[in-house]
Amino acid sequence: MQRRSLIQAAGAAAATLGVPRVFAQEWPNGPVRIVVGFPPGGGTDALARVVAQKLSLMWNQSVIVENKGGVAGVLAAEYVSTQPSDGSTLLMAHINSHALAPSLQPKLRYSVERDFVPIVLVGVTPNLLIAGPAQKAVTVKDIVALCHAEPGKVSFGSAGAGSAQHLALEMFKLQAKVDALHVPYKGSGPLLADLMGNQIQYSFETMTAATPHVKSGKVTAVAQTRLKRAKGHPTVPTMQEQGFEGFEATTWYGLAGPGKLPTAMADKINRDVNTVLAMPDVQERLDTYGAEDGGGSREKFQKFIAAEIEKWARVVRDAKVKVDT
């Protein structure tokens, strides 16, 4: 594995030497920051650190993860949208900031299309519907029955108002025709701490963040929210398998840069991240987290974002979701 990393690092260095001199001058001399819109301990942070560590080796340059939590990832996106487009600051773009916020926040201070350059999709994960250790209702059918029996009282945590977990809950409420209590947190870390402490009952948590606690037996996985089962959780049924036809509420992650990031630089980062995502040890980590279907062209990521914006706009409209900003 070490030999493979050295070969890849040497190849990356050779590729850098082969680009035009003007591009070499544009490449940042100091550390490259990947800004994450959530506190440490969540799925976005975990995947960003996997990518950052590999890019540091490939580029022979420090690539650091910087956490700027708040407003379900929107504050970090606002921040990166105002940074110089010189490659020194990148965003681990997220469904919250790039697909949900445009519909939920009419006063959003950035435009996804204008203020960001999509670089590469890192991964798409199901959410996991998970139950705290004290819960007796641990099938979707039983949770629906509990919500009917106690309307507005069964609690579901999320990483913040307007987050992927929140919108997955709204989709669930629409399809199940139930009312439930939404409890927003400032990220997955504190949410999971309260779920394991039985302060809340359930969550449609990101698979990336939930997986370690499912594996350790601290929470129970009830269902996953893609139409197909993730390789990392082959025994956990999908929502569709439990009677929710077409239920697909994913969380996804991808690198993006400020809106005037040079095309040559964005293309290079895309190529290098694709190399990282193909590494066997990275693939193993991604499978564990349930992160699949990453990589590909910049155009693929751009089209993916556009489709997600359209999809979630319909859910926001039908569920009449409003977020205080």
Side-chain angles (χ1 to χ4, degrees):
M1 194 64 67
Q2 184 178 10
R3 181 173 177 269
R4 183 184 297 116
S5 298
L6 289 172
I7 291 171
Q8 289 162 338
T16 302
L17 290 173
V19 299
R21 185 175 179 184
V22 63
F23 175 59
Q25 290 172 341
E26 289 174 355
W27 189 257
N29 293 320
V32 174
R33 297 180 298 157
I34 299 178
V35 179
V36 168
F38 303 92
T44 318
D45 180 76
L47 291 183
R49 292 181 189 279
V50 171
V51 172
Q53 189 258 340
K54 293 295 186 180
L55 290 178
S56 293
L57 293 173
M58 290 181 69
W59 295 344
N60 193 28
Q61 184 175 7
S62 180
V63 180
I64 60 176
V65 173
E66 184 173 315
N67 300 88
K68 287 186 177 294
V71 197
V74 168
L75 288 185
E78 284 183 356
Y79 171 76
V80 173
S81 72
T82 66
Q83 296 304 294
S85 297
D86 59 2
S88 63
T89 305
L90 305 173
L91 175 71
M92 183 59 90
H94 188 277
I95 181 177
N96 294 358
S97 62
H98 276 57
L100 305 182
S103 296
L104 289 168
Q105 300 189 27
K107 296 181 180 179
L108 200 62
R109 295 176 185 172
Y110 59 84
S111 163
V112 171
E113 294 83 2
R114 181 190 66 235
D115 296 325
F116 292 94
V117 173
I119 298 174
V120 63
L121 181 65
V122 172
V124 181
T125 73
N127 292 323
L128 274 181
L129 174 54
I130 52 176
Q135 302 313 308
K136 295 180 180 178
V138 290
T139 67
V140 176
K141 180 180 178 180
D142 287 346
I143 294 171
V144 171
L146 182 62
C147 289
H148 280 302
E150 301 179 15
K153 294 182 180 180
V154 181
S155 57
F156 288 75
S158 82
S163 66
Q165 298 96 323
H166 178 194
L167 269 292
L169 170 61
E170 295 298 337
M171 183 180 282
F172 168 70
K173 288 163 59 178
L174 280 172
Q175 289 202 22
K177 297 179 172 57
V178 298
D179 189 16
L181 177 63
H182 172 228
V183 183
Y185 287 82
K186 292 183 178 179
S188 294
L191 179 167
L192 286 161
D194 270 10
L195 184 73
M196 290 184 285
N198 293 309
Q199 302 303 306
I200 55 173
Q201 294 166 275
Y202 301 98
S203 177
F204 281 93
E205 181 52 88
T206 65
M207 185 172 281
T208 314
T211 290
H213 307 293
V214 171
K215 299 293 187 184
S216 68
K218 294 178 181 178
V219 300
T220 300
V222 177
Q224 51 183 303
T225 63
R226 288 191 85 180
L227 301 183
K228 61 178 182 178
R229 296 189 186 190
K231 287 183 284 187
H233 290 271
T235 63
V236 179
T238 66
M239 290 290 291
Q240 179 164 272
E241 289 171 334
Q242 297 195 60
F244 282 68
E245 183 65 30
F247 193 103
E248 187 162 41
T250 65
T251 297
W252 51 263
Y253 317 84
L255 278 182
K260 295 182 180 179
L261 188 72
T263 298
M265 189 176 291
D267 286 344
K268 172 178 167 49
I269 299 170
N270 173 276
R271 290 192 300 270
D272 290 347
V273 174
N274 270 290
T275 298
V276 167
L277 296 178
M279 294 178 181
D281 59 326
V282 173
Q283 275 290 317
E284 185 177 346
R285 293 281 296 278
L286 294 179
D287 286 347
T288 299
Y289 291 135
E292 299 176 2
D293 302 326
S297 69
R298 292 173 51 217
E299 290 73 23
K300 168 192 169 182
F301 189 27
Q302 187 173 31
K303 290 178 181 178
F304 179 86
I305 292 172
E308 283 284 286
I309 290 173
E310 182 179 351
K311 168 186 173 179
W312 288 107
R314 292 194 298 269
V315 174
V316 169
R317 181 194 65 227
D318 293 347
K320 298 179 173 62
V321 182
K322 293 184 179 180
V323 174
D324 294 329
T325 58

